Amino acid sequence: KSKIIVTLGSDGCKYMDDIINTESVNVRDVSGAGDTFLAGLVCGYLNNNNIYEAIKFAQKCTTIVVQKHGVATVELKELQNG
């Protein structure tokens, strides 16, 4: 089994042989989405040492960012509201 994480857009992510689904949202701009995913993944993993939870956190960050115009950031209050 490969330990590579493959992002699949609105279809979630593939890790090992598992598909981790994500929330479907209206996408305005994907600029910076990959950077946001990676930052969220690292932050999530450092916080809980669980790759599946880290992937879910990264997906949450990314779904927020792609709903904004241009390269954007995720604010703590946006993560707490969801």
Side-chain angles (χ1 to χ4, degrees):
K1 292 184 181 183
S2 174
K3 291 188 178 183
I4 294 173
I5 299 168
V6 179
T7 58
L8 305 170
S10 61
D11 292 327
C13 291
K14 182 176 182 179
Y15 175 69
M16 303 287 272
D17 286 327
D18 299 324
I19 299 291
I20 299 111
N21 294 317
T22 191
E23 176 185 2
S24 180
V25 296
N26 291 324
V27 176
R28 290 190 68 192
D29 196 333
V30 296
S31 300
D35 294 329
T36 300
F37 182 87
L38 185 56
L41 182 71
V42 171
C43 181
Y45 191 75
L46 290 174
N47 282 333
N48 62 38
N49 201 32
N50 180 304
I51 193 65
Y52 287 96
E53 292 303 314
I55 290 170
K56 290 176 188 175
F57 181 74
Q59 289 175 321
K60 183 175 182 178
C61 293
T62 304
T63 59
I64 292 169
V65 143
V66 298
Q67 295 178 78
K68 299 179 180 184
H69 181 69
V71 177
T73 59
V74 179
E75 296 183 28
L76 183 58
K77 65 183 176 184
E78 293 173 299
L79 292 169
Q80 293 170 338
N81 291 336

